[in-house]
Amino acid sequence: MSVTPHLPTSRPLDPISAGIDETAAPTRRETAADRARAQTRSRLLTSGTVLFAERGLHCTTTHEIASHAGVAAGTFYNHFPDKGALFHEITAEGLRELDARLQIGAHPARRLRDAVRSHAEALVSFAEDHRDLIRILFSRESDASAVQHGVLDDLAARIADGRRQAITRGEMPTRIDPDVLAQAVVGMWARVVAWWAENPERAPREIVIETLTRIQLEGTHPSVGRDPEPSTER
Amino acid sequence: MSVTPHLPTSRPLDPISAGIDETAAPTRRETAADRARAQTRSRLLTSGTVLFAERGLHCTTTHEIASHAGVAAGTFYNHFPDKGALFHEITAEGLRELDARLQIGAHPARRLRDAVRSHAEALVSFAEDHRDLIRILFSRESDASAVQHGVLDDLAARIADGRRQAITRGEMPTRIDPDVLAQAVVGMWARVVAWWAENPERAPREIVIETLTRIQLEGTHPSVGRDPEPSTER
Amino acid sequence: MSVTPHLPTSRPLDPISAGIDETAAPTRRETAADRARAQTRSRLLTSGTVLFAERGLHCTTTHEIASHAGVAAGTFYNHFPDKGALFHEITAEGLRELDARLQIGAHPARRLRDAVRSHAEALVSFAEDHRDLIRILFSRESDASAVQHGVLDDLAARIADGRRQAITRGEMPTRIDPDVLAQAVVGMWARVVAWWAENPERAPREIVIETLTRIQLEGTHPSVGRDPEPSTER
Amino acid sequence: MSVTPHLPTSRPLDPISAGIDETAAPTRRETAADRARAQTRSRLLTSGTVLFAERGLHCTTTHEIASHAGVAAGTFYNHFPDKGALFHEITAEGLRELDARLQIGAHPARRLRDAVRSHAEALVSFAEDHRDLIRILFSRESDASAVQHGVLDDLAARIADGRRQAITRGEMPTRIDPDVLAQAVVGMWARVVAWWAENPERAPREIVIETLTRIQLEGTHPSVGRDPEPSTER
DNA sequence: GATGAATGAGTATTCATTCAT
DNA sequence: TATGAATGAATACTCATTCAT
C-alpha cells in the first residue's frame, strides 16, 4: 500500500501530512526537511529496484540497498518497515503503471489486430522506461510475494476471459484452449520483454513490437503464400 | 517423487559413478557398500528436486534436504561439495534429458508442423514425467545459477538458429526477427508447461499440445474463414 | 497520570531549576520561554513515569517517551542527557517524597504501634497518589539502576537501625535478627503496596493499612484469645 | 516444558529418545555423543542461570550466555529455540522444585507453627542450593514472562486460600484480609530469601528461619512478657 | 529550544559447512 | 561412510543518540 509514485521529487510522506499539505499553504516551511526525507526514500526505492532486478529479493540485503542508496543501514528502516515492504511497494507501484498502460488501448470495440499491437506497444514502452522493474515484475519472486497473485497470473486471467467471450461470440476457433493460450501469450510477453529490457540493442524496438504482434496473430509460420497480403496490416 | 526416474539404485547419469560402473567389472567386491552409497546419493538428489521445486534454491536448506532424504546433515557433504553442486547436478541432468527428448523429433527434413508438434509433445511428456524438475528448470534461479546460461537461453539460441537457416533458405518471412521469436517461443513453452505441471488437471494433455502447436504455427487469431482449412497448412 | 504532583508548570523538585527559581527575581524576562521549557520537561517526566511503570526501563524507548509526551525524539535530549538520567530523576524524586512521608510519623518517642501504623498509612497514601511511581520504585530495575542502592535497601537499613537501638534498650526480643526483620518488613510493604497500587479495588484502603500494621506487630497468627486484648500492646 | 533436571550428567534430550533409552540397552553406543550434547546443554542452562540472575532476561544476550558456557554463538540454538525458551526452562524447572520442597511439609493436620517453620526451612534450603535461581524466580521478569502467572502470585494465591479456609473455620481473626496477608507473606519471603542468597554470610541460616517463622506467627513486636511463653502458641 | 532524519553499534537468529567420533 | 554437534559469518531489524535546520 502507501504507494507514492516515483515521478516527482517530493513524495507525500504519509496520509496525514499529505492531507495537511493540501490544505494549508504556510506548512511550506518544513519543505526543506521533507524534501530531504523524500529524496532519501526515493533513493532507497531506486536502489531497491536496481538490486532486486539484479539479484532478486532474497539475495539482496537491506545493507546493500542502504549503502547503494548512500545511507546508513538503519536509515532503511526509517522509510520502510522491512525489506518486504520495499519490495511490495516497488512491485505494486510498477504493476499499477503497467496496468494503466495496458488499459489504454483496451477498447472492446477495437479490432483485434489493433488491440494486440497496442498491447505489445504498451509493454515495450514500459520496458523501455523501466528496465529494472520489468525484471522484477516478471520474476518468480513477484509471483511468490503474492503481488496480486503474481502479475502474470493476473494478465493471463484477463486474457483468458477475453478469449472465452470471443469464443462465446463464435469469433474464435475452439480448438485453442483459452487458459492455455493465455498462459502462452503471457509467457511470451514476459520473456521477450525481459530479454529485451536487459539489453535493448538486441533488437530495434519496432521489430520487437512487430514480431510480438505477428506471432500472436498469425503464428510463426504463416504459409508463404499468406504472408505477403498484409495490406490491411496495421 | 515423479523425479529422477533413472532406474533403481544406481544413477547412471551421475557422470562419475556412471563412468566407473561401465569400465570395471572386477571391482564387484564392494558392491554392497557401493549400493548403499549410491542409494543415499540418489535419495539426496530426489529430495533436492522435490524441495527446490517447492521452495527454490535459496529457501531450501541443506538440513532440510538431508532430513527429507532420511540422512544426517553431514552426509550431504559426503556426496556433494555444497548446495550449489546439488542444484547444478539436478538441473544439468534435467536439462540433458529434456534436450534429448527435444532432439528426437528434430530431423531437419521434417515438415514444420510435425516438428513443432513433436516439440510440444516432448515438452509436455517431459513435464508429466518430471513435474518438479520442470519447475526448477524454468525458474529464475536456474537462470541465475548459470545452469549453462539458463536452460531457456539455450533452447532459444537453438530455435533462433533454426529460424535463421530457414530465412536463409527463403522459407520464412523476414519481418519476424529470429531472436525475438525464439525468446517468445521459449517463454510461451516455459510458462505453459510450468503452469500445467503444477496441476495437470488444468487442461487435458492433448489440448495443451494442440494449443501450443497451433499458436506457434497459426497464431491466436486465425481469420475465421482460414481456421477450418488446415489442408493448406503446408 | 497521577504522578508528578509537584504543582503546575515548574517542577520545584528539579534541583537545578528549583535553585534558580528561588534565587533570582530579576530574571523574569524570559519567563515565557522558560515556562514552555519547564512544561516540556515535566511532560517528559510524566510520560517516563507512565511508561516505565508499564514496561520497565529496558522495554521503554526514548522515542516512545517523547511521542507520549507529544514532542519530537530529539527534544528528549534537550532535557536529559540520556534515558538513564530520566529514570534516575524519576526514581530519586519519588524516593525523596516517599522518604519524606515516612519521616513524618517517625518521632522516636512514639508508641511503636502508632509508629507502625503511621508508616503503613504513609505508604498506602503514597501508593494512592503515585500508582505508577510505586511500581517503578519497587521494581528490580530500580534496584539494578542503583537508585541509591535501591529504595528498599535504604528503608531496610533504617528499619534495621531502629531495631538495633530497641534491642540495645532491651525493648526487643533478640531472637529476631534486625537485618532479617528489616528485609522482611520491606519486602512485605513493597509487595503489598505494589500489588494494591495495580488495582486499588483489590481491597479497601483501610483494610490494607490495618492488615499491614497487625501483621507487623502481632504476626499472622495471634492466638484467638489474645487478639482482642490490644491493651497490653504497649 | 521439556524440563530436564540439572542434576545428573545426562539429560533426556527429548521425549522420543528418552523413551527409547529406557527400553533398549544396546542404544548405549551413542552415549558418547549424547553425553557431549547433554553437557553442552547443561552448561548453557547453568550459564543462563548465572547471567539471568545477575542481569535479568533482557540485559543478557545469547552471545554472552554462549560464550560464558564456552561455546559458539550458534550452538545456543542447537539446544534452545530462542532465549525465551532457555529462560522458561530455567524458571519452570526451578519453580517445580521449589514447589516440591514447599509441598513436603504441607500436611493439613499440622500445627501451624510447624507448618510455617517447615515452609521457612524449605525456602531457605532452596535458596542455599540455588542461589541464582532464587534471584531469577523472584524477579519481576519472571512475573512478566508469565511463568505460571509469576511464582509469587501463585504462592500468594495458595496462602490466601489457606487463610480463607481458616477464617471459615473460625480459627483466624477476620481483621486481617487474606489477600493482603498473602501478598505480605510472599513479599517477605521473597525479599528475605533473595537478600540472604546474595550473601549467606549476612546471617546464620538458623536465624533466618527462626526470624521468618516468628515474624509470621507473632509479629515483630511481641510484648516482652508474651515472648517467652510459646506454650500457648497455637 | 524544538525538530526529526540520519546514524551505527548492538542483538537475536539462521544456516552452510566442518570435523571428531 | 555416516553421524550430528559445533561453528561463525551473515542478516534483518532495533534503538539510543547526534546534529543540521
Side-chain angles (χ1 to χ4, degrees), chain A residues 36-37 40 71-72 74-75 78-79:
Chain A
R37 178 174 174 81
T40 299
V71 297
T75 301
N78 285 341
H79 294 273

Side-chain angles (χ1 to χ4, degrees), chain A residues 4 18 34 47 59 61 64 81 98 109 121 125-126 160 176-177 188 196 202 204 209 219 226 229:
Chain A
T4 66
D34 276 1
S47 298
C59 292
T61 70
E64 282 171 335
L98 174 55
E121 262 169 358
S125 76
F126 182 82
I176 291 186
D177 181 87
M188 183 167 85
W196 185 69
R202 282 168 164 167
I209 296 172
R226 210 157 64 216
E229 33 134 1

Side-chain angles (χ1 to χ4, degrees), chain B residues 20-35:
Chain B
I20 289 172
D21 276 358
E22 310 272 337
T23 333
T27 322
R28 285 297 168 220
R29 206 79 33 75
E30 29 185 5
T31 318
D34 277 1
R35 247 198 307 261

Side-chain angles (χ1 to χ4, degrees), chain A residues 52-202:
Chain A
F52 287 149
E54 234 169 57
R55 308 219 242 286
L57 173 58
H58 287 304
C59 292
T60 304
T61 70
T62 56
H63 274 73
E64 282 171 335
I65 297 170
S67 93
H68 185 274
V71 297
T75 301
F76 182 97
Y77 294 90
N78 285 341
H79 294 273
F80 303 95
D82 54 34
K83 193 167 66 161
L86 174 63
F87 189 76
H88 185 269
E89 184 158 332
I90 289 170
T91 50
E93 167 58 14
L95 180 56
R96 194 168 315 126
E97 192 185 336
L98 174 55
D99 234 41
R101 296 208 192 187
L102 290 175
Q103 295 300 344
I104 289 176
H107 295 285
R110 214 114 180 260
R111 294 173 57 207
L112 181 60
R113 156 161 300 265
D114 292 347
V116 167
R117 182 163 238 280
S118 101
H119 264 163
E121 262 169 358
L123 251 173
V124 164
S125 76
F126 182 82
E128 277 180 312
D129 296 342
H130 306 291
R131 291 171 50 179
D132 288 323
L133 248 183
I134 275 286
R135 295 167 68 189
I136 298 174
L137 286 176
F138 291 171
S139 77
R140 264 272 177 95
E141 278 174 322
S142 289
D143 272 41
S145 294
V147 183
Q148 299 193 9
H149 327 190
V151 185
L152 299 183
D153 289 338
D154 231 52
L155 291 179
R158 233 175 295 154
I159 292 174
D161 273 356
R163 285 287 154 169
R164 277 197 209 91
Q165 290 170 18
I167 289 173
T168 312
R169 292 195 303 266
E171 294 170 20
M172 284 290 144
T174 48
R175 267 194 272 167
I176 291 186
D177 181 87
D179 287 318
V180 179
L181 174 134
Q183 294 294 332
V185 168
V186 142
M188 183 167 85
W189 284 358
R191 176 96 196 162
V192 167
V193 152
W195 167 83
W196 185 69
E198 261 175 36
N199 177 10
E201 306 199 341
R202 282 168 164 167

